[in-house]
Amino acid sequence: MTEAISLGIPSLREEPQVLAPRKPTRRIMVGDIPVGDGAPISVQSMTTTKTHDIGATLQQIAELTAAGCDIVRVACPTDKDAEALPIIAKQSRIPVIADIHFQPKYVYAAIKAGCGAVRVNPGNIRKFDDQVKDICQVASDHGVSLRIGVNAGSLDPRLLKKYGKATPEALVESAVWEASLFEEHGFHDFKISVKHNDPVTMVQAYRLLSEKGDWPLHLGVTEAGPAFQGTIKSCLAFGALLAEGIGDTIRVSLSAPPVEEVKVGNKLLEFMGLRPRQLEIVSCPSCGRAQVDVWTLAESVEEGLKEITAPLRVAVMGCVVNGPGEAREADLGCASGNGKGQIFVRGKVVETVPEDQIVETLLKHAQAMAAEMEDELGADALAGSAPVVVTPGA
């Protein structure tokens, strides 16, 4: 039998490779989640419900939690929303961040409600600078951290006039100025974001900000767009920054259900070696060499394995060029051709089946292997997001 050549696929116990060491930042807490100073990068999202609809909001938070969300943000534009925060913060299984704009009174209400953190947007809170001392005192008294959230769409008019538009320098000047106001009162429990809808501007802003201090940074491309476009924008920007060690929390902002944001964020971190890997499907691209219907096979396998979270790599291959090698080096795989498929389990051919039995055979083996991993690692260690298909080069 041909000796297997390693393609660099990590085992369950290997430390994942990363592109760069994390940039040192100060440590803060968002509820019970550590942020900065080497803590795992957290994935955030935001509810789309009216916060004062407590049942609907808690239901969506539960769905986000099940999808692998670490921290959730809720809007607080009205008195009714502020009144709902104590119940939501208490019943949520993950820390809740209150999102505050315009009315400073809601900052105090959110802190006292037991939220894990409060996001403030200095550009549109009335007389925000005059409120900083009191906010610092109340936040310190309650052990609540803050996020200074600077956005291109709501930048301080003074900076827009100075720079002409929301440039990286304008975003960073706003953030650094506001950070200094908190720090002069001895308050350091905050992280910063400088979001823009253009990923190039956003990357430039975060690079510049990371050179100015050791604040933990929350990454986001704001108003990134619908799911397809927004995913590309966010992965481009986050990938560039995380590859340089910049970033402590992320939110993929999509015009889509918030669970989709969490799925993308988790998979991005997995593929960058910043989170333990989970289920991954490797499949052939569209190619004239394929001798079976790989597209349908891959989609059927993905659908059949959607509930499995064990860290399996499953290869669904359709030609003799890359097929045997990819199938051999995956945990489980098939190398298909001439109407049949060889099934590989941990590098060895265990059976050959007709094309119409490939999917059911792969699913059978995958479920057995996942059960073994669950027994070995524990069910809690395998909880996480749904699989993503990746396509090796032709």
Side-chain angles (χ1 to χ4, degrees), residues 111-387:
I111 292 171
K112 295 175 182 178
C115 290
V118 178
R119 183 273 180 117
V120 294
N121 188 337
N124 62 21
I125 292 182
R126 297 170 190 168
K127 297 182 179 179
F128 179 80
D129 293 357
D130 297 337
Q131 303 279 336
V132 170
K133 181 179 180 180
D134 292 337
I135 290 173
C136 290
Q137 185 63 58
V138 175
S140 295
D141 291 345
H142 289 79
V144 173
S145 62
L146 304 175
R147 170 158 72 93
I148 298 173
V150 178
N151 267 29
S154 52
L155 192 62
D156 190 312
R158 296 169 293 182
L159 292 170
L160 283 176
K161 182 177 180 180
K162 176 179 177 179
Y163 288 95
K165 61 179 181 179
T167 64
E169 294 78 12
L171 294 169
V172 170
E173 183 172 328
S174 175
V176 171
W177 166 252
E178 299 299 340
S180 72
L181 296 180
F182 285 93
E183 290 170 337
E184 72 180 18
H185 294 295
F187 187 84
H188 301 278
D189 291 334
F190 61 86
K191 60 181 182 288
I192 302 178
S193 63
V194 282
K195 295 187 178 183
H196 199 286
N197 62 73
D198 174 58
V200 175
T201 302
M202 176 269 200
V203 168
Q204 292 172 336
Y206 277 97
R207 283 174 175 165
L208 181 59
L209 182 59
S210 72
E211 296 172 355
K212 301 278 186 184
D214 66 347
W215 311 288
L217 301 181
H218 170 72
L219 304 185
V221 179
T222 190
E223 292 97 33
F228 177 73
Q229 173 183 293
T231 295
I232 293 174
K233 277 187 174 184
S234 297
C235 288
L236 183 161
F238 295 176
L241 291 167
L242 294 171
E244 298 173 13
I246 298 171
D248 298 287
T249 73
I250 64 172
R251 188 230 172 151
V252 179
S253 298
L254 303 177
S255 300
V259 164
E260 298 305 312
E261 298 182 348
V262 175
K263 291 180 181 178
V264 173
N266 276 299
K267 280 301 172 184
L268 172 64
L269 295 179
E270 283 182 41
F271 292 149
M272 294 197 71
L274 295 168
R275 281 205 170 187
R277 71 181 180 95
Q278 295 186 335
L279 180 63
E280 178 182 343
I281 300 172
V282 177
S283 63
C284 292
S286 301
C287 173
R289 297 191 304 264
Q291 298 174 340
V292 296
D293 184 0
V294 180
W295 187 349
T296 299
L297 284 178
E299 288 187 337
S300 299
V301 170
E302 181 185 22
E303 175 63 23
L305 300 181
K306 66 183 180 181
E307 302 300 328
I308 289 181
T309 58
L312 282 172
R313 176 171 284 192
V314 180
V316 183
M317 308 300 294
C319 85
V320 297
V321 176
N322 295 321
E326 291 281 2
R328 185 182 297 116
E329 292 298 331
D331 300 304
L332 170 66
C334 70
S336 308
N338 296 321
K340 58 186 178 181
Q342 286 187 315
I343 307 299
F344 290 75
V345 174
R346 299 189 176 94
K348 296 182 179 180
V349 177
V350 295
E351 58 184 308
T352 300
V353 299
E355 181 177 350
D356 61 3
Q357 295 179 24
I358 290 174
V359 173
E360 64 182 84
T361 306
L362 283 174
L363 297 184
K364 175 189 69 176
H365 286 289
Q367 290 159 358
M369 295 172 75
E372 290 176 10
M373 290 179 174
E374 188 169 307
D375 290 340
E376 180 181 358
L377 300 179
D380 290 343
L382 299 180
S385 55

